[in-house]
């Protein structure tokens, strides 16, 4: 009967080492929450691609839309499960711009001056997207709205909020936190939090 059965207790196997589960989706940023009006919003996707584009909000929403549920892991030790993200899959954006054969890395720039970097294979994973909705609601500015990048298999700093530019490159350059001692690979399952030259050591 509806409402009488206890919800099944979910397996905790999805909690990476050193993380604790939260339900309140904390906000982390550099102290700036840039307001980007939709009529001024643009996403430039360029670099080593056959077809560089600058999307406005309307053309972004006209691309095939994608919904994916994933877990979110912040390096500051909180994780939140079952985040429902809706937006445009990274592989859809890659199909649109057609990366050249020598494109091996992707650099992301945001409206608050933040940046981050990822290998192209990590970006092309089937759960990576530029999201504009979270749990059925338009993404709030505090969480990177109008649109942010989500890479569920990496610590969350690898996904830029307030995304404005995606650049395909033939080499790796470090982003904001990667330059400041955070790991360049950022795998939550191996507690890959800091780079070899651990600044806290
Ligand atoms: N543009 C931008 N993107 C960013 C950040 C930021 O400061 N600026 N912080 C990163 C970090 S460290 C985390 S944990 C997540 C936090 O996302 P949230 O504030 O929606 O929880 O965004 C990531 N992306
Ligand atoms: Mo973070």
């Amino acid at each position: 009967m509806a409402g009488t059965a206890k919800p099944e207790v979910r397996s905790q196997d999805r909690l990476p080492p050193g993380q604790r589960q939260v339900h309140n989706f904390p906000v982390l940023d550099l102290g700036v929450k840039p307001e980007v009006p939709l009529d001024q919003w643009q996403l430039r996707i360029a670099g080593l691609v056959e077809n560089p584009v600058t999307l406005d909000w309307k053309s972004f929403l006209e691309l095939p839309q994608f919904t994916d549920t994933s877990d979110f892991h912040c390096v500051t030790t909180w994780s939140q499960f079952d985040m429902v993200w809706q937006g445009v899959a990274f592989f859809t954006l890659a199909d649109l711009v057609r990366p050249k054969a020598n494109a091996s890395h992707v650099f992301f720039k945001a409206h608050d001056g933040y940046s981050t970097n990822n290998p192209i294979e990590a970006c092309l994973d089937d759960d990576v997207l530029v999201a504009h909705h979270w749990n059925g609601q338009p993404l709030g500015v505090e969480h990177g709205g109008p649109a942010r990048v989500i890479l569920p298999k990496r610590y969350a700093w690898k996904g830029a909020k307030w995304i404005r530019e995606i650049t395909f490159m033939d080499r790796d350059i470090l982003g904001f936190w990667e330059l400041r001692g955070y790991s360049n690979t950022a795998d939550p399952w191996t507690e890959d939090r800091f780079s070899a030259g651990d600044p806290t050591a």
Side-chain angles (χ1 to χ4, degrees), residues 28 74-76 156-157 177:
L28 279 101
C74 173
V75 70
T76 61
W157 87 77
W177 285 123

Side-chain angles (χ1 to χ4, degrees), residues 25-32 72-76 78 85 110-115 142-144 148 155-163 177:
F25 199 8
V27 172
L28 279 101
D29 56 46
L30 304 176
V32 194
F72 190 99
H73 309 297
C74 173
V75 70
T76 61
W78 59 269
W85 299 107
H111 284 282
D112 60 342
Y114 187 80
S115 58
E142 72 281 13
H143 289 300
R148 74 174 301 163
Y155 284 121
W157 87 77
K158 287 289 187 181
K161 296 158 71 164
W162 310 293
I163 186 68
W177 285 123

